[in-house]
Amino acid sequence: MQRREFSISAATLAAAAAAAGMSALPSLAQAQAKAFQSGSDYLTLDKPAATEAPAGQIEVVEFFWYNCPHCNAFEPMFDAWAKKAPKDVSVRRSPIAFRPDFEPQQRLYYVLEGMGKVDELHKKVFNAIHVEKQQLGTADQITAWAEKQGIAKAKFVEMYNSFSVSTKVRKATQLQDAYALDGVPALGINGRYFTSGSQAKTLERALQVTDYLIGQSRGKTR
């Protein structure tokens, strides 16, 4: 979801190639090289953004907001892609805050991360909001939900208000600014490139663009 709303089409890379008038069926690498262009399918940052990947690793960051319906739809796709990512790719998520009232959900994600519960509960947050229609926008609402998931209230509140979570929230907001983010879901690649469903025309194609940019980033890791 963008600060201005955007729609997601269902075109595939092959359809995009056909629309571009490609008469032959080139290899996937050739199709990507012709189809994926900076300024249209992805953006190249003027100033590299900070990365947290280990030396020699290519970082891919998924930017998301729990309340965003597009992020909810993208999560299974991204999760499947992340599980098959090459060994030299470091994948992480970064919750965004376009407004101050987004921060409670940023803190929720980092509490789950700190407690090692992302695999267990990350998808359940999306489900609670988009399927069960629960309101998870305030610290009290989020704490009550976490308690129902079996997390001790005192422990959750302590981590929610901790210095480490506050630091991660601050860095997450700085990172979204460094990528000049204007909508989610979106993907940052190696601190150098940015793409999204809106930028790449579809969410599926955004992952194909990401694969292409990972290839472009090899040998350029910092």
Side-chain angles (χ1 to χ4, degrees), residues 14 19 26-27 97 124 137 144 149-150 152 155 158 162 188 194 219:
S27 69
K124 288 187 177 182
Q149 310 313 309
K155 185 176 181 181
E158 180 182 8
S162 68
F194 163 86

Side-chain angles (χ1 to χ4, degrees), residues 42-162:
Y42 64 91
L43 300 177
T44 301
L45 303 188
D46 293 332
K47 180 181 178 181
T51 62
E52 296 182 1
Q57 292 277 298
I58 298 164
E59 180 176 85
V60 174
V61 183
E62 181 210 20
F63 295 97
F64 74 96
W65 176 38
Y66 279 125
N67 271 43
C68 167
H70 300 302
C71 297
N72 180 52
F74 184 56
E75 181 56 33
M77 285 185 273
F78 180 75
D79 189 55
W81 177 90
K83 287 176 180 177
K84 298 178 181 179
K87 292 182 179 180
D88 64 343
V89 174
S90 176
V91 180
R92 67 183 176 103
R93 295 178 173 90
S94 186
I96 58 91
F98 289 150
R99 305 189 307 259
D101 58 318
F102 285 26
E103 185 177 320
Q105 290 187 357
Q106 282 183 306
R107 288 181 176 272
L108 168 59
Y109 176 78
Y110 287 121
V111 172
L112 298 182
E113 185 181 72
M115 291 184 172
K117 291 184 175 292
V118 170
D119 288 346
E120 177 186 350
L121 297 178
H122 180 63
K123 294 176 184 177
K124 288 187 177 182
V125 180
F126 280 113
N127 188 74
I129 294 169
H130 298 281
V131 178
E132 299 170 0
K133 305 303 180 182
Q134 294 189 44
Q135 296 295 318
L136 296 181
T138 69
D140 288 344
Q141 291 169 342
I142 287 169
T143 301
W145 179 85
E147 195 172 11
K148 290 178 182 178
Q149 310 313 309
I151 302 175
K153 181 177 179 179
K155 185 176 181 181
F156 182 88
V157 171
E158 180 182 8
M159 185 169 288
Y160 182 95
N161 294 314
S162 68

